[in-house]
Amino acid sequence: MKKVGILAIVLASAIISFTGCKKSETESKKQENMSLPPSLRELDDETAGYISEKSIVVVLGYGFNDDATVEKIKADLDSDFSLKTDEKDGFVSLYVFPNDFMSGKYARISKLESMVEDSENVAGLLIFGAPEKTHKTLAELMDKEDDGKLHFPVVSFFPQDDILGIQYTSDIVIDYAGNSESVGDLEGEAVHTIPNFDTRKVISNTIMSMIARKSPFEKDENLINTAQNILGKEIPVSRYVDSETKIQALNHFTFE
């Protein structure tokens, strides 16, 4: 009985020691995660490892490039995910069209190519109000890949680019149902009125969906569920239907 008692004490001490060690590791991990932006603190180890050397690229184009909107989105991104600036590193890189795309006197969306040149380090690309020829730049990036595909997801909101082109080069296209079907050659900034659109929530939902996916989204029948999750359950999402062919697009969605 004495030996059994001693053995029990030894085992109990080992369990307490092991539990304390695990608790210490958990606390250490929790302290480490507290240094991350709020939206990334609950990521599992695999996902955290996936994004450790990657970044999200956000482009603000027509309808989202006025000073007030840009400053608001910058503040939100920095608070939620950490924004990369000249002074500090961050998970999200933000570019504004046309300001950050000037080449001499002209704004060229083709400069986006250099902004995502190392596609292996990009976890996703979000474009708001894509200007004309955005799809051509994305297509050129695709041509540079051995398999002809981008290795990160692309989501385009309220594009003012060629409809078929942006559908082809983006994983998901989301637009307000009241917007025009095609803008052709855009000579000015068309600012769309988008009621009840929570830009901060939508950007956060999109980034988190990209992180969880860890790869481009599949253009299949289930893609509408991803679009719904991005916009939120309270906003009904529909498939875009071409007015001439009456064909539903697989990766283009609208909401009202």
Side-chain angles (χ1 to χ4, degrees), residues 45-109:
D45 291 344
E46 180 185 356
T47 306
Y50 165 74
I51 67 167
S52 63
E53 300 297 328
K54 295 183 181 294
S55 65
I56 294 287
V57 177
V58 178
V59 176
L60 301 181
Y62 296 131
F64 292 83
N65 55 2
D66 62 281
D67 291 343
T69 300
V70 170
E71 290 307 312
K72 174 67 167 58
I73 291 177
K74 278 184 175 181
D76 292 340
L77 283 172
D78 197 38
S79 175
D80 295 342
F81 294 101
S82 78
L83 183 67
K84 184 176 182 179
T85 67
D86 293 336
E87 291 74 33
K88 67 181 182 69
D89 201 6
F91 180 55
V92 178
S93 295
L94 178 71
Y95 301 99
V96 180
F97 186 90
N99 296 12
D100 295 323
F101 294 82
M102 298 304 295
S103 181
K105 296 180 180 179
Y106 302 97
R108 302 189 185 281
I109 190 61

Side-chain angles (χ1 to χ4, degrees), residues 1 5 16 41 43 90 125 146 161 167 181-182 195 207 217-218 220 247:
M1 291 294 294
I16 292 171
R41 290 175 187 168
L43 295 179
L125 170 63
D146 292 337
D161 190 16
Q167 286 176 359
E181 183 174 272
S182 177
I207 291 176
F217 296 109
E218 292 290 338
D220 56 24
I247 296 176

Side-chain angles (χ1 to χ4, degrees), residues 137-211:
T137 296
L138 293 174
E140 288 172 2
L141 283 167
M142 294 168 71
D143 288 342
K144 288 186 175 182
E145 301 291 344
D146 292 337
D147 57 2
K149 298 178 181 178
L150 294 176
H151 298 290
F152 54 85
V154 179
V155 178
S156 299
F157 295 90
F158 318 110
Q160 306 212 16
D161 190 16
D162 175 75
I163 292 296
L164 292 178
I166 204 69
Q167 286 176 359
Y168 176 72
T169 53
S170 301
D171 294 1
I172 299 175
V173 179
I174 297 177
D175 205 351
Y176 179 55
N179 291 344
S180 60
E181 183 174 272
S182 177
V183 296
D185 292 332
L186 193 67
E187 295 182 355
E189 295 190 19
V191 180
H192 296 151
T193 300
I194 307 164
N196 304 319
F197 185 74
D198 187 339
T199 305
R200 180 176 188 171
K201 183 183 73 172
V202 168
I203 291 177
S204 179
N205 289 348
T206 305
I207 291 176
M208 295 308 293
S209 294
M210 289 174 164
I211 291 173

